[in-house]
Amino acid sequence: MNVLVNAGPWLRVPPPGYGGIENVVATLVPALRERGVRVVLASVGSSTLEVDELISVFDEGQFAELQKPYNQVMGLAHAHQARVALEIGRRDDLDLVHDHLEVVGPAVLSALGGPPVLHTLHWDLRKHAAFYGAFPRSIAVNGVSNSQLARAPDALRAASLGAIHLATPLADRDMRTERGEHLVAMGRVCGLKGTHVAARICQKLGLPLVLAGPVSGLNTPAELEAVVQDPDHPLNGHPDVRYHVNAVTPYLDGDLVRWVGSVGGEARDHLYASARAALFPIQWDEPGGTAVVEALALGVPPVGLRRGCLPEIIDHGRTGFLADTEEELAEWVLRVAEIDPEECRREARRRFSPAVMADRYLELYAEVRRYEGIRRTRAAAR
């Protein structure tokens, strides 16, 4: 099978640090290629993921441009997708397009009449109500959790082939390190992630907490401070920056509660694997939960609020804890020693390995191609 995987123009694959969609693509593609799938990756030129072909418009990721007004950046996704459309039009060996580009991907691909398309939904489906409410019938989609799809508009849900949970390469690694005393909250620092709740709980309990993740693309405390001190900087008024300043900074004392910025590679894995627990006090219905899956793979008990995809990933009392309130969350934090790290690792290998995700996608690829063949046969007979 020859599949074009469209990762979009925002970050290279794999990304240097934070990058949810790009990390998913970097996890999926090697497992697909191990199963004999030939992959054409549409990304940026600096992508280093091993693929059969790489196509791009931009040499580097355009993520930083997204902070600018829409009328200044609207052409970026379209320029990338125009290159994808050109590639599809000039060749006849593509069996399927697996698209990951929000809205622009399915909007363009539905008008091409090319190979069958599977579009993966990675985000909050309450967005783009006008588009999703009249979703193109020629495009099949999948979600990353059942919770996410349950909130989809009817037209989008009708196009869905179900949900495939996200995976992590860490599930295939038996990474063990000495367990420390700290807890960790890993991921983008923003109100939706409830970073301030994690900080408040740990300060109240007297437990050390490390916050790791970017703030509006700013990866270090020094970068953030430079923005905060410059009233004319375009990021100074960004909601995530203001959130960090107003809601998170009051809890940072440099000792008990620390924000270390983005951490990547082995340093990130060690920080995560050595934690007593991982906190997920999410303030929204999280669609995918990559960080939760990574915690399980590293044998770190996840403790989070019972929202979004978390009840699908965490088996309460066996692989982590789920709470309905902040007070209850604090109580479960004190009981993380009851969770067996080996049970967390086993669950990750069983449910969230790259092989499991790739096999599920191959099933959907076959279903999409079968459905598209039937649809075209019926159209030709009219």
Side-chain angles (χ1 to χ4, degrees):
M1 188 186 295
N2 202 13
V3 176
L4 189 152
V5 177
N6 183 23
W10 309 123
L11 294 167
R12 69 176 186 254
V13 182
Y18 175 82
I21 292 173
E22 292 78 14
N23 273 319
V24 173
V25 171
T27 299
L28 174 62
V29 166
L32 289 176
R33 296 182 77 233
E34 287 175 1
R35 285 152 177 76
V37 177
R38 190 176 186 278
V39 174
V40 179
L41 177 65
S43 179
V44 296
S46 58
S47 292
T48 57
L49 184 70
E50 187 173 341
V51 293
D52 297 283
E53 296 179 58
L54 173 66
I55 62 173
S56 64
V57 171
F58 304 102
D59 292 333
E60 298 294 337
Q62 301 298 299
F63 183 80
E65 299 297 304
L66 290 179
Q67 311 301 332
K68 297 179 180 178
Y70 175 71
N71 63 352
Q72 295 180 26
V73 301
M74 60 188 292
L76 297 175
H78 290 276
H80 173 89
Q81 197 65 13
R83 176 66 181 88
V84 171
L86 178 66
E87 191 70 14
I88 291 172
R90 76 172 184 83
R91 58 197 296 172
D92 60 4
D93 64 334
L94 293 174
D95 297 301
L96 183 132
V97 176
H98 188 175
D99 182 68
H100 300 265
L101 183 56
E102 189 172 1
V103 174
V104 173
V108 172
L109 292 169
S110 65
L112 285 183
V117 175
L118 176 66
H119 174 71
T120 295
L121 303 158
H122 292 272
W123 33 81
D124 183 354
L125 302 183
R126 294 174 300 179
K127 297 193 295 179
H128 319 304
F131 181 72
Y132 287 152
F135 194 77
R137 298 185 64 180
S138 60
I139 301 287
V141 305
N142 76 278
V144 292
S145 70
N146 294 314
S147 168
Q148 176 200 35
L149 291 176
R151 296 185 299 277
D154 291 343
L156 191 60
R157 198 157 51 241
S160 171
L161 299 180
I164 297 180
H165 289 124
L166 302 177
T168 173
L170 294 173
D172 291 336
R173 293 173 55 189
D174 192 14
M175 181 176 178
R176 297 169 188 274
T177 187
E178 185 176 347
R179 193 73 74 196
E181 291 300 314
H182 69 279
L183 290 85
V184 67
M186 188 77 68
R188 184 164 64 95
V189 177
C190 64
L192 293 177
K193 300 290 187 181
T195 311
H196 68 291
V197 177
R200 184 162 59 213
I201 287 174
C202 286
Q203 192 174 86
K204 188 180 300 183
L205 296 177
L207 297 174
L209 172 68
V210 178
L211 306 172
V215 178
S216 187
L218 303 169
N219 293 312
T220 68
E223 289 179 14
L224 179 63
E225 183 63 20
V227 169
V228 172
Q229 295 301 321
D230 181 0
D232 297 323
H233 195 286
L235 287 179
N236 189 288
H238 191 280
D240 290 356
V241 172
R242 302 324 308 168
Y243 166 77
H244 189 282
V245 170
N246 296 326
V248 178
T249 298
Y251 296 105
L252 303 180
D253 56 16
D255 181 26
L256 197 64
V257 180
R258 297 181 296 136
W259 174 60
V260 297
S262 291
V263 182
E266 292 185 6
R268 174 192 176 280
D269 295 346
H270 177 77
L271 173 65
Y272 219 175
S274 61
R276 290 176 58 189
L279 299 186
F280 300 97
I282 56 174
Q283 304 296 295
W284 72 312
D285 294 317
E286 181 88 42
T290 306
V292 185
V293 169
E294 291 173 337
L296 290 172
L298 292 169
V300 179
V303 184
L305 290 177
R306 196 188 310 273
R307 296 194 62 173
C309 66
L310 266 62
E312 298 177 40
I313 298 174
I314 300 170
D315 186 350
H316 179 71
R318 184 174 70 88
T319 62
F321 292 119
L322 296 165
D324 294 309
T325 65
E326 180 179 333
E327 293 71 24
E328 188 182 347
L329 190 68
E331 293 173 6
W332 289 123
V333 165
L334 297 174
R335 296 178 57 178
V336 293
E338 298 175 19
I339 301 299
D340 181 5
E342 291 305 316
E343 189 67 13
C344 295
R345 293 188 181 96
R346 281 192 292 269
E347 185 77 346
R349 286 193 296 269
R350 184 177 72 85
R351 297 181 59 202
F352 306 117
S353 72
V356 170
M357 183 169 67
D359 287 341
R360 283 286 292 119
Y361 271 113
L362 286 175
E363 291 173 3
L364 290 200
Y365 291 174
E367 188 172 347
V368 171
R369 294 177 68 194
R370 185 165 54 249
Y371 169 78
E372 182 66 7
I374 294 171
R375 189 180 71 83
R376 293 186 181 187
T377 298
R378 288 175 176 171
R382 291 194 184 104

